[in-house]
Amino acid sequence: MNSTMQKISIEKVKESKIDQVDFNNLAFGSVFTDHMLVCDYKNGAWETPKVVPYQPISLDPSAKIFHYGQSIFEGMKAYKDTDEKVWLFRPLDNHKRLNISAKRMSIPEIPEEFFMEGLKTLLEVEDKWIPQTEGSSMYIRPFMFASGNGFHASPANAYKFMICLAPSGAYFSGKVKVLIEEKYSRSANGGVGYAKTGGNYAGQFYPTQLAVEKGYNQVIWTDDHSHEYIEEAGAMNIFIRINDTLITGPTSDRILDGITRKSILQLAEKKGIATEVRKITVTEVVEAAKNGSLKEMFGAGTAAVVSPISAFGYRDVDYDLPELEDSYASQIKKDITDIQYNRSEDPFGWRVGL
């Protein structure tokens, strides 16, 4: 640790609650570890992070997070291999994206050292909480929000950066049936769609609820202007396989620069799978479904890595996708998770040991 940050203080709990946790039945993101990381921004500077017992946060009712939505987050994981060594997957990409989100939401950027040393210190304290059962991992939620007070519509003068940990079991989404959305939009040009800010997700809940009421699991988002171009799958990036080519839309103001998305593109290229990063129309996907050239669609994100889509609905017609034995989705998921759990070589330098 260099001299720009003092040593991180650690306040441990008097008694761990780890014995109360059934590690064989961990729901995603619902059980939390004994400790969390807290770092305050005051008087124009970030203070040294602290590891403290997991506990409620006390905020003034006028804290700007409640009124103007200055809130951002990241999603990442830690993995424990068979030798009980702990690994992170592309953590510097998460740090970089957090700061991209921070800049867009007028939140002070967090220094890399504060993020990485804070995360590693917290994970070392909570090492026993990192599950080792097949498919399980430690879900990591770094987040930042406006803690400064005032009803005036302007950026806050104080912020909190925190990291909380949730040991989670294998994430199986099952067969996902999606509805292509033509009325509501996730984001717009010049907006905040590329930032991981809470309001983006809050705005998705209502249209998704309407889709669920119609018998679908999730929504496929299209562009805000014409609703002709496919953009994201719920809270995930989307990949579409037509014949043997894997296609995904380009990142933009509207589309999140997903770390799993980037990894899939690099991995597919190394495997010799043809990829295209381009706009893809709903019409092209519907035509491919009709003529049999549409082979796969899947979401890509941290929680599930890949989430295969079994069918999609568009204008009152449902289109089923074929069930493939050796799908690109299954191949890619295995390759990525083998790297994450240190079961294979990592030719990309994605894996970072604690």
Side-chain angles (χ1 to χ4, degrees):
M1 195 180 297
N2 66 40
S3 59
T4 61
M5 183 177 70
Q6 296 176 0
K7 185 173 173 62
I8 295 171
S9 65
I10 300 171
E11 180 193 344
K12 291 200 172 181
V13 293
K14 291 183 174 65
E15 192 173 343
S16 175
K17 59 179 183 284
I18 195 167
D19 293 339
Q20 302 165 27
V21 176
D22 181 359
F23 279 85
N24 294 315
N25 292 287
L26 289 169
F28 179 76
S30 59
V31 174
F32 306 99
T33 64
D34 290 323
H35 302 88
M36 61 186 189
L37 184 91
V38 182
C39 184
D40 285 301
Y41 181 90
K42 294 176 182 174
N43 304 315
W46 286 104
E47 298 177 347
T48 301
K50 299 177 290 186
V51 172
V52 298
Y54 187 91
Q55 61 192 281
I57 307 164
S58 178
L59 292 171
D60 193 282
S62 71
K64 291 200 173 185
I65 175 58
F66 300 133
H67 306 279
Y68 302 112
Q70 277 184 287
S71 169
I72 59 173
F73 69 96
E74 273 298 320
M76 50 198 301
K77 289 179 177 179
Y79 310 85
K80 191 174 271 188
D81 67 20
T82 52
D83 294 324
E84 299 200 2
K85 184 166 174 58
V86 178
W87 301 92
L88 295 166
F89 184 73
R90 305 188 72 166
L92 293 176
D93 289 274
N94 289 100
H95 169 258
K96 181 181 176 183
R97 190 172 63 183
L98 187 71
N99 278 343
I100 289 171
S101 299
K103 189 171 185 178
R104 182 63 181 87
M105 301 304 291
S106 289
I107 295 172
E109 295 177 33
I110 191 85
E112 180 186 308
E113 183 186 19
F114 284 51
F115 182 94
M116 290 301 297
E117 293 300 329
L119 174 56
K120 288 181 177 181
T121 301
L122 180 61
L123 286 169
E124 284 164 4
V125 169
E126 302 291 53
D127 178 76
K128 288 185 171 60
W129 281 86
I130 303 172
Q132 253 190 303
T133 49
E134 180 65 32
S136 297
S137 58
M138 178 67 83
Y139 184 77
I140 302 165
R141 174 54 61 90
F143 58 106
M144 297 162 73
F145 62 91
S147 54
N149 303 335
F151 289 149
H152 45 289
S154 61
N157 61 2
Y159 297 86
K160 278 189 183 293
F161 166 64
M162 301 181 64
I163 304 178
C164 294
L165 305 177
S168 296
Y171 190 101
F172 296 116
S173 55
K175 291 183 178 179
V176 178
K177 187 179 176 184
V178 298
L179 177 66
I180 295 178
E181 180 59 53
E182 288 195 277
K183 178 180 179 181
Y184 297 99
S185 297
R186 179 188 169 273
S187 57
N189 285 333
V192 297
Y194 67 91
K196 278 187 80 73
T197 181
N200 283 346
Y201 297 81
Q204 293 185 42
F205 295 156
Y206 177 62
T208 303
Q209 179 186 322
L210 295 179
V212 169
E213 288 169 3
K214 292 178 182 175
Y216 299 91
N217 305 105
Q218 194 50 270
V219 163
I220 295 287
W221 299 105
T222 52
D223 69 287
D224 63 297
H225 178 62
S226 65
H227 293 290
E228 290 178 7
Y229 296 98
I230 285 179
E231 300 213 318
E232 291 202 352
M236 307 175 84
N237 294 119
I238 186 168
F239 282 83
I240 296 162
R241 176 184 171 187
I242 295 179
N243 291 318
D244 291 331
T245 301
L246 207 51
I247 307 163
T248 192
T251 55
S252 66
D253 285 351
R254 303 184 308 275
I255 298 177
L256 189 73
D257 186 13
I259 292 161
T260 306
R261 172 189 174 278
K262 288 191 285 194
S263 305
I264 288 172
L265 286 170
Q266 286 180 257
L267 195 61
E269 185 180 346
K270 189 173 188 303
K271 288 173 71 70
I273 295 171
T275 61
E276 291 181 7
V277 178
R278 63 169 174 85
K279 290 184 174 183
I280 182 164
T281 64
V282 176
T283 303
E284 183 180 354
V285 173
V286 170
E287 286 304 312
K290 287 178 178 177
N291 66 32
S293 61
L294 180 65
K295 304 300 184 186
E296 294 180 68
M297 294 171 66
F298 56 87
T302 298
V305 183
V306 297
S307 183
I309 293 167
S310 61
F312 72 90
Y314 180 64
R315 294 185 178 174
D316 300 320
V317 180
D318 286 347
Y319 300 89
D320 291 323
L321 277 85
E323 288 193 22
L324 305 178
E325 274 196 20
D326 193 24
S327 66
Y328 285 176
S330 61
Q331 290 179 45
I332 286 166
K333 181 170 185 174
K334 182 182 185 303
D335 289 349
I336 290 180
T337 54
D338 280 352
I339 291 171
Q340 290 170 335
Y341 287 94
N342 193 30
R343 293 191 293 248
S344 70
E345 292 299 311
D346 174 15
F348 308 98
W350 292 338
R351 197 167 51 217
V352 176
L354 240 57

